[in-house]
Amino acid sequence: MTDTKKLTKRAFLKTAGVATAATGASALAAPAVLGQSPIKWRLQTYAGVALAEHVVKPAIDAFNKVANGEMVIELYTADQLVPTGELFRAMQAGTIDAVQSDEDSMAAPVDVSVFGGYFPFATRYSLDVPVLFNQYGLKEIWEEAYSEVENVTWLSAGSWDPCHFNTTKPIRSLEDLKGLRVYTFPTAGRFLTQFGVIPVNIPYEDAEVAVQTGELDGMAWSGITEDYTVGWADVTKYFLTNNITGAWIGSFFANSERWNEVPEHLQALFRLCMDSSHYYRQWWYWGGEANLRVNGDKLELTSIPDSEWNQVVKAAETFWEEVAAESDRSKRVVEILKKYAGVMEKAGPPYRCV
C-alpha cells in the first residue's frame, strides 16, 4: 500500500518551492527595511573641535551606534556651518536640525535666554542646574517659553562648567578688572561692564589668536578645564579663582518638524544620550577644575579678597531685580532662583558654605 505521508518527487519540489519562495520573501523583506535611508540630522554645537570631543561627541557617537542605522547624526563644531549667533534661526529654518548651546550665545528670541549661559551667581555648583530644572520648576518654564516659538523644540538643559577669568594680566582686586578686554557671554558681559570690563564678541575659535595679537586680554568664558583643553592656558598666564557663576546652563534644541518625524524609540534614545552628555560633564568638570588648580603648570592662580568680591555678589542682587522687571516669566525665574538659594543657604554645608 502506498504511504500517503510520503511525498512524490513532484510534490516535494512543489512544497519546497513554496517554502523557498516564502523564505526568500522574508529574507528580502528584512534588508528592504534595514536598507531604507536612515534619518539624517546635522547638529551643530557651540563648542570648538577640542572641547566638542568631551562635551558632545561621546553622546552623539553613542547615539549613532545604538540607533543601528535607523538614524545618523552628523556633528559640526562651533561656526562650522553657521556662526554661533545665527544658530537659532538656522535651526528654526531647517538649515540645521539640532543645536547644543546656551541660549545667550545664540540669541534665542525668548525672555529666558538671559538665564542661559552664565547668569551671575545663579548657581554655585554643577548640581544646582539639574535640581533647579527638575525639582524647582525651570523645566516647565523653559517648555512654556519655547512653546511660543515657531518650529523649535527645547529638549534638555544640563550643567556645564563655572565661569572664571583667565587673562594675560593678574587680577587681584576689582581695580584690575577695569579696562580688561575679555571674550565672554552677552549677559555676563552686560553685568561685568559696571566693573570696567570691556566685553568683546568674536567667533569662539578666534579667541586664542585674539589674545596672541593683543585684541583680547583674556576670557571670562569657562573654568580651568576648558582653558587647558582648548589651548587658552597656552596664551594666558593667570586664572582668577573667584567665579561669576558656579555652573553654566546649556541646552539641546531641535527643529520641531524634524523632531516630530523621529520615531518615539529614537526620541527616547536621544534623550538618554543627552542625559549621558550632561553626566559626563558633571564629573569631567568637577574633577578637572580641582586637579588643574592643584597640578596644572600653565596658569598662576590669583584671587580677589572676599571683602572686595562681595561687592560683585551684592551687585548681582540688583542685576537680578533688573532682569525680573523685564517680563513676568523672568520674574518667575528670579523668584525660583531666590527660593532655591534660600533653601541651600539654610541647609548649610555641603550645600552652601559661609
Side-chain angles (χ1 to χ4, degrees):
M1 180 179 262
T2 305
D3 189 346
T4 55
K5 292 184 179 179
K6 286 186 178 180
L7 294 173
T8 64
K9 183 177 181 182
R10 182 182 295 275
F12 171 80
L13 292 174
K14 184 177 180 182
T15 305
V18 171
T20 304
T23 304
S26 176
L28 290 172
V33 172
L34 294 175
Q36 287 177 357
S37 297
I39 298 169
K40 287 191 176 180
W41 270 16
R42 297 197 301 176
L43 183 153
Q44 183 170 311
T45 176
Y46 75 96
V49 176
L51 187 62
E53 286 290 325
H54 292 278
V55 301
V56 68
K57 189 175 184 295
I60 299 305
D61 286 348
F63 177 89
N64 287 339
K65 182 176 182 179
V66 181
N68 200 30
E70 292 184 66
M71 182 169 174
V72 176
I73 299 177
E74 297 174 350
L75 178 63
Y76 296 87
T77 55
D79 305 303
Q80 194 172 358
L81 294 179
V82 296
T84 298
E86 298 174 16
L87 272 178
F88 193 92
R89 298 300 184 190
M91 171 176 54
Q92 191 174 39
T95 305
I96 53 178
D97 306 297
V99 164
Q100 180 206 39
S101 180
D102 65 290
E103 290 109 320
D104 199 21
S105 296
M106 65 176 186
V110 291
D111 45 13
V112 296
S113 66
V114 69
F115 302 102
Y118 292 119
F119 192 67
F121 302 103
T123 57
R124 186 75 62 89
Y125 305 118
S126 58
L127 279 175
D128 291 344
V129 174
V131 173
L132 280 163
F133 273 82
N134 295 304
Q135 295 184 353
Y136 279 75
L138 291 194
K139 177 178 180 287
E140 289 73 19
I141 291 178
W142 258 244
E143 288 173 341
E144 172 193 299
Y146 283 96
S147 70
E148 300 170 4
V149 179
E150 184 179 358
N151 210 27
V152 169
T153 299
W154 172 82
L155 296 173
S156 177
S159 176
W160 303 349
D161 54 335
C163 183
H164 294 258
F165 284 84
N166 59 293
T167 54
T168 57
K169 305 172 184 177
I171 303 172
R172 297 189 174 92
S173 70
L174 292 183
E175 186 67 24
D176 293 332
L177 295 176
K178 293 181 179 178
L180 277 182
R181 296 163 296 172
V182 299
Y183 174 54
T184 191
F185 291 80
T187 298
R190 171 183 162 188
F191 172 70
L192 290 169
T193 53
Q194 63 188 294
F195 301 102
V197 172
I198 302 170
V200 180
N201 182 22
I202 58 176
Y204 181 93
E205 294 286 18
D206 292 348
E208 183 176 343
V209 174
V211 171
Q212 292 174 303
T213 60
E215 182 184 350
L216 290 178
D217 297 308
M219 300 82 170
W221 180 275
S222 68
I224 198 169
T225 308
E226 185 166 344
D227 296 338
Y228 274 76
T229 301
V230 306
W232 292 347
D234 297 323
V235 297
T236 57
K237 297 180 179 179
Y238 304 95
F239 179 84
L240 182 65
T241 60
N242 311 74
N243 66 42
I244 303 302
T245 307
W248 187 26
I249 298 176
S251 295
F252 285 88
F253 308 81
N255 174 280
S256 297
E257 291 179 1
R258 296 309 309 278
W259 175 250
N260 293 334
E261 291 170 0
V262 176
E264 285 187 10
H265 69 287
L266 291 178
Q267 287 186 354
L269 174 60
F270 190 64
R271 290 189 185 279
L272 288 170
C273 289
M274 287 188 291
D275 285 344
S276 75
S277 174
H278 299 327
Y279 174 65
Y280 184 111
R281 299 176 79 126
Q282 287 273 341
W283 58 261
W284 186 62
Y285 281 125
W286 184 255
E289 297 300 300
N291 177 58
L292 289 170
R293 284 193 188 200
V294 175
N295 299 312
D297 58 1
K298 295 180 180 180
L299 296 172
E300 179 183 335
L301 305 184
T302 65
S303 298
I304 295 176
D306 289 342
S307 56
E308 258 195 281
W309 190 249
N310 283 339
Q311 297 176 43
V312 183
V313 177
K314 193 70 177 175
E317 296 177 8
T318 302
F319 185 79
W320 283 24
E321 295 305 323
E322 292 173 357
V323 172
E326 293 175 358
S327 74
D328 174 69
R329 192 153 43 218
S330 292
K331 182 179 179 181
R332 286 155 52 200
V333 173
V334 170
E335 287 174 351
I336 287 173
L337 295 178
K338 287 181 179 178
K339 177 182 178 182
Y340 178 74
V343 170
M344 294 296 108
E345 287 165 9
K346 290 177 181 177
Y351 299 96
R352 291 292 185 267
C353 298
V354 178

